[in-house]
Amino acid sequence: MIDQIIQMTLNLDMPQMSVLEWIITLGKFAFVFIPLAFIVVMIFMERKGASLIQDRLGPNRSALPVFGGLRFFGFVHNFTDGIKLFTKETFIPTYAHKVWYVVAPGIGFLVAFLTPAVIPWFAPLTWWTGDHISQVSGMIIDSDTGILLMFALSSLSIYGTAMSAWASNSKYALLGGMRATAMMISYEVSMGLSLMGIFLLAGSFNLQHIVAWQEAHVWGIFVQPVAFFVFLTSMIAETGRAPFDVAESESEIVAGYHLEYSAMRFGLFYMGEYAHIVIASIIIATLFLGGYAIPFVSTDLLRAHVDIALALCLGGLGTMIGGFHLMVRRWKKVYATMGAKDAGTRNREYSFLQFTSGVASPVVLALAVAVFFLLNPMAATTVDGTPIFPAWVSIAAAAVQVVVLIAKAFLFCWIWIWVRWTLPRFRYDQVMSLGWKILLNLALVNLVVTAIIAKLVTGVR
Amino acid sequence: MISIIYFSLFASIAMGCGLYLLIAKHPLYGALALIGNMISLAGIYSLLSAPFLGVVQILTYAGAIMMLVVFVIMVLNTAHDHEVPRFDWRGVYLVPVPAALALLLLALVYFNSPVADATALRGTAQNISQFMFDTSRTDNGYWILFEFIGLLLLGAMVSAVLIAKKRLSTHKEDV
């Protein structure tokens, strides 16, 4: 119906698709907002991770003025930060290039919105509509150029850094921008070359095919451990985080490329960095940890037992909320014995958390049991040897797969934070020699060895 | 219909960026215009059902090579950049060359218009790899040429490193 309207109004050559296919195809575009949603959680994770590694408490002052100050373990700090960034003066230096100064911070942030388009969020949906099989890919752009498109877009993001550095008309900023540029050029080579091995094995650039290969054989991290190491290191360097943050090292060039920026323009750099980390984490999870695939469970098996999978997901969530409930109870007891001055307010906050988690946990667990008993994936109709399930089964399985992918991505997000707060900053020459003399050679040797082994084992490629 | 809309969009961006490259006052703006030109060219390649070519165009030209150019412009950025005249009369003598090329192309298209199936996929990753690396082909393949170009580029890279190293070492001896 929608395609008919579009065809009538615009006279475009549109494929014939059913309404459900249109809804899913357009709804997939919502995935571009996943990095944004991650940013809020990532900043919170970073603060808490830093405080964990540095053996301190972390943010614990900002609070919502209800129930004696709801702090949500420092999560409220994010929002006060946002208010601060939005309400500060957006300053433009006198001799800055006005247009590029304003436009440049947005480039890197824009790319963060584009790159999720090539990530397969779930296995291709297949269901039976009337007379034919409907099929919707799990990626927004299903092209056989696949991850190359993501590399192409992310290589453009460095122009944001370079142009903001140049437009600020400051020597420190320019130095930072040039360091960022040089590092990007150096590490992009080993980043691309390290993945050649896994492209060779999967026989495709398309991430969907790579995940399908991993689902059928073995996770990429087991066949390509060297490539995993090289790619992870290059990706950390690409995001410009410690230990590779020579582009903004405060002890040498004050703050590097974002020195002259204030308020939300600085906020764009800050959030763009986290968006970049999220994208990199999802890409690494997709390439080396099997993406959306659950180990030892193929997509067909998942669809056949989608009720169990959903019940397990909900059960896990309910158990986690229950564990949280027990944790809050213990804190409350400990806090009562400490004799702190604000024991009354903290007691009210903890009581609120204890009550809500105490209610939510049984509700979610009951929902899990209900899902297990009430849902019942109908028997598949076999078409050309492949089982075809009803539409809702495919969609439910896709939801489980998105959760699995995001869980794997969180693991790598944590590695980013862990590395940042563990390793000291490298010197600029150390960064360059690591990139050109170690990682590039490792990636090349890995490619040659993979090619020889693949030739010996498979014989054809 | 939709491809015509996109083509006119990309073509006008490419033309505009190309013109701006010629008249830009600062070399950096010229470089940025060239990047815009390359990205819109990549869009046109994708419209011609060659997505791989388009992506590689962005990846290598707009992403890597132009990044190097921008880097070099930033390194060599001096105060005298603004004194470069915007228009040079000697440049007029070069106008016949592109004009002749354009006329040649027009004549070629007019007298011998290429016939191609617009819906066929030509430049996908699979097509190109089969076209270039299929050693079992009996007609003219490209894999040996590809190897030669690879060797040539490797030689160029090694000699560039050698020249740079030599300069560094002589500098040390001078000091």
Side-chain angles (χ1 to χ4, degrees), chain B residues 163-175:
Chain B
I163 291 167
K165 277 245 164 188
K166 211 172 185 180
R167 207 167 280 165
L168 279 181
S169 63
T170 47
H171 182 68
K172 258 180 204 163
E173 280 162 21
D174 289 345
V175 173

Side-chain angles (χ1 to χ4, degrees), chain A residues 305-417:
Chain A
H305 300 288
V306 74
D307 52 336
I308 300 174
L310 277 178
L312 278 177
C313 279
L314 284 173
L317 184 66
T319 317
M320 273 159 72
I321 299 174
F324 175 72
H325 175 77
L326 292 178
M327 199 164 77
V328 171
R329 256 170 76 174
R330 190 180 293 168
W331 283 345
K332 210 173 148 188
K333 263 185 208 157
V334 170
Y335 214 85
T337 58
M338 275 162 68
K341 272 184 204 160
D342 59 346
T345 36
R346 288 289 83 87
N347 200 36
R348 257 179 296 163
E349 187 196 0
Y350 286 151
S351 301
F352 172 77
L353 292 175
Q354 194 184 349
F355 175 73
T356 40
S357 58
V359 171
S361 173
V363 167
V364 176
L365 284 174
L367 204 63
V369 175
V371 160
F372 181 73
F373 283 111
L374 296 182
L375 285 188
N376 154 38
M378 278 171 269
T381 44
T382 311
V383 180
D384 299 335
T386 48
I388 302 293
F389 293 94
W392 72 265
V393 173
S394 286
I395 295 168
V400 173
Q401 286 173 331
V402 171
V403 169
V404 169
L405 178 58
I406 286 176
K408 286 174 184 174
F410 260 119
L411 178 71
F412 283 105
C413 285
W414 168 244
I415 287 182
W416 246 264
I417 293 163

